[in-house]
Amino acid sequence: SEATANKYVPKYLRKRLIVLKPGLPFSFVKRILQKNFTRQVSKNEILNILSVTRLSPRKGLKRLINAVDLLIDDGFAVNLKIIGEGSEYKNLQKEIKNLQSISLMRAVSDEELIKNYLSADLFALLPMQIKGGEAWEGFGIVFLEAGVCGLPIITSDSGGIKESTSPFATVYLHEKCSANEIYVEIKKLINNKKLALQLGELNKKWASDQTWE
């Protein structure tokens, strides 16, 4: 991403630099489009939130879990699925209090992943920069996957995320945002399902053009 180049490449080399941003495989986009899936304003009172990512400390997953806990405590019907592998699996399991509403999934096939994208109502992932290994969110291909599946996105402004998301259909929070700030933004979309649907449609149109081809 441009963000990674600006952060790590010395200024005297940037004029000689070409940034090749990641794209979605067209095969992935084609599989989604072939399913002829059209989102509608849901009458279902349950909001299904999806997060797909490596389970590492910089991904902000504890804050997301805590935000969903706040929604549940406030009487909202919310489910959160986090799909991924990584070193934080055990720590995140300990963080989960509402086992019926919040779950971690590992070893998911491509077909299962697509089903989870299409059954979700919202994609949320709020990375932050930290010290140490895996400290930087260089781009974020999962945002393109969520977008092409027609999901509204709540994320942070960390690293190259703004290059992997549509500025017209994404809710950006500061990378050091609190669980309460995440809670507030999710609540807005719960209370305005038409807006959530509109954001998802804009994401789908934008992400469908972000392929390697």
Side-chain angles (χ1 to χ4, degrees):
S1 63
E2 296 286 350
T4 301
N6 290 335
K7 184 171 180 65
Y8 290 110
V9 178
K11 288 184 179 179
Y12 71 90
L13 288 176
R14 287 182 194 164
K15 289 184 179 179
R16 301 166 59 186
L17 188 74
I18 297 173
V19 176
L20 298 177
K21 295 181 185 179
L24 283 174
F26 184 70
S27 58
F28 183 91
V29 177
K30 187 176 180 181
R31 285 169 73 180
I32 299 300
L33 298 179
Q34 282 178 337
K35 289 184 178 295
N36 247 349
F37 181 81
T38 303
R39 292 190 181 277
Q40 298 178 343
V41 177
S42 175
K43 295 179 181 178
N44 187 359
E45 294 301 319
I46 298 175
L47 181 81
N48 293 305
I49 304 171
L50 179 66
S51 195
V52 180
T53 184
R54 180 179 294 279
L55 307 180
S56 72
R58 70 178 173 87
K59 295 295 187 173
L61 294 169
K62 287 185 179 180
R63 290 180 299 175
L64 179 58
I65 290 170
N66 293 337
V68 170
D69 282 335
L70 289 173
L71 288 162
I72 293 169
D73 291 344
D74 211 14
F76 290 99
V78 180
N79 286 332
L80 169 63
K81 282 185 182 179
I82 299 172
I83 298 177
E85 299 273 1
S87 61
E88 279 290 280
Y89 179 78
K90 289 183 179 179
N91 289 334
L92 292 172
Q93 280 283 27
K94 293 176 184 177
E95 196 74 20
I96 296 173
K97 301 170 187 174
N98 295 287
L99 294 173
Q100 291 183 334
S101 300
I102 302 174
S103 59
L104 292 175
M105 299 177 65
R106 299 191 290 181
V108 173
S109 68
D110 287 348
E111 194 59 34
E112 287 177 300
L113 180 61
I114 289 174
K115 284 180 180 178
N116 277 283
Y117 272 125
L118 295 179
S119 63
D121 302 301
L122 168 67
F123 186 85
L125 179 61
L126 297 109
M128 56 188 169
Q129 185 178 356
I130 62 171
K131 294 180 180 179
E134 293 193 14
W136 178 257
E137 189 72 28
F139 186 73
I141 199 74
V142 292
F143 296 110
L144 294 182
E145 292 176 352
V148 83
C149 291
L151 290 173
I153 295 171
I154 294 178
T155 187
S156 66
D157 58 3
S158 185
I161 291 175
K162 286 194 172 181
E163 297 172 58
S164 61
T165 51
S166 166
F168 307 108
T170 306
V171 177
Y172 299 105
L173 292 172
H174 191 273
E175 67 173 354
K176 294 183 179 178
C177 64
S178 66
N180 189 68
E181 289 173 296
I182 300 168
Y183 154 81
V184 168
E185 294 304 324
I186 296 175
K187 185 177 175 180
K188 286 179 184 177
L189 293 183
I190 290 175
N191 291 329
N192 192 340
K193 291 183 178 179
K194 286 186 177 180
L195 174 61
L197 188 65
Q198 289 170 359
L199 294 178
E201 282 300 309
L202 289 171
N203 269 334
K204 187 172 184 177
K205 290 177 183 177
W206 184 83
S208 295
D209 292 330
Q210 310 302 312
T211 65
W212 280 112
E213 286 78 7

